[in-house]
Amino acid sequence: MSAWIDLARAAEETVDTETAQQAIGYPSLFALVLLGSLVPVVPTGALVSSAAVVAVHHSDPVPTSLLVWAVAACAAFLGDAALYGLGARGSRWLERIRGQVAPATLTGAQRRLERGGATVLLVSRLVPAGRLPVMLACLLSGMPARRYLRGNLPATVAWAGVYGLLGVVGGAVFPHPWQGVLAAVALTLLIAVLPRLRRTR
């Protein structure tokens, strides 16, 4: 009988711990991804992958992983919408975005936008350092915010799904969450650095 009581207490402690982690984790993930959309120095892909790793080790991994994906996609979409709105509204924000993009990269983004239209947004979100050049090209072309957001919605959903999947795989491969988080962060940072390394060669 005492074994059952101990088991019940352990289960209750696990639930309490997971509830506390969720109460802190989801709002933190949302805030950091939102901030990362506005301030590009925050490694949002690594954040999403790390949260997905932790979700895999949750007692109920499927809904927890889906919630990570939904929170990340929502935060990324709202962050992009806010930055686009600020860029469209004032020259100061537009110049800040322009300052993050090399002229040659902007020219390439403008050409891709002319050829592919709003569908370029989907690819730009998945390519490291591809989001801001395409966003700036959209702003300079005078693309209405509604059209930009319509194209950006599937892009942010796909982005959150890809980085979440990296975390799910990392969490499934490694027995301890910290190992999966470390692997996911290393992989996402490597993905982010590779295009820069190619450009320097």
Side-chain angles (χ1 to χ4, degrees):
M1 184 69 177
S2 62
W4 286 106
I5 293 172
D6 291 341
L7 187 62
R9 283 178 182 164
E12 186 178 352
E13 287 173 8
T14 302
V15 170
D16 289 343
T17 303
E18 289 181 346
T19 303
Q21 287 172 346
Q22 288 176 343
I24 296 168
Y26 293 126
S28 298
L29 177 65
F30 182 89
L32 289 170
V33 171
L34 182 67
L35 178 65
S37 296
L38 295 167
V39 184
V41 294
V42 177
T44 52
L47 288 170
V48 176
S49 294
S50 300
V53 168
V54 175
V56 170
H57 289 276
H58 192 274
S59 60
D60 204 359
V62 174
T64 307
S65 299
L66 290 174
L67 194 52
V68 165
W69 169 61
V71 167
C74 184
F77 178 77
L78 291 176
D80 284 358
L83 187 59
Y84 195 83
L86 290 168
R89 192 173 295 173
S91 60
R92 192 182 94 199
W93 280 96
L94 189 60
E95 288 308 311
R96 282 189 182 181
I97 298 171
R98 193 193 289 266
Q100 300 282 332
V101 179
T105 307
L106 174 60
T107 302
Q110 288 172 320
R111 286 177 185 157
R112 289 194 302 275
L113 186 64
E114 287 171 7
R115 289 196 305 264
T119 56
V120 174
L121 291 168
L122 179 63
V123 178
S124 74
R125 247 299 179 176
L126 298 175
V127 173
R131 177 180 68 101
L132 281 183
V134 171
M135 180 185 285
L136 181 58
C138 291
L139 284 166
L140 294 175
S141 72
M143 181 183 287
R146 185 178 294 180
R147 186 179 170 208
Y148 172 81
L149 295 176
R150 199 182 312 126
N152 195 47
L153 179 60
T156 51
V157 169
W159 169 82
V162 167
Y163 280 101
L165 186 60
L166 287 175
V168 167
V169 171
V173 168
F174 296 98
H176 300 290
W178 69 266
Q179 295 170 325
V181 168
L182 193 62
V185 169
L187 183 58
T188 52
L189 291 178
L190 180 63
I191 290 169
V193 168
L194 275 177
R196 294 174 190 172
L197 292 175
R198 286 178 186 169
R199 283 198 293 268
T200 56
R201 287 182 181 177

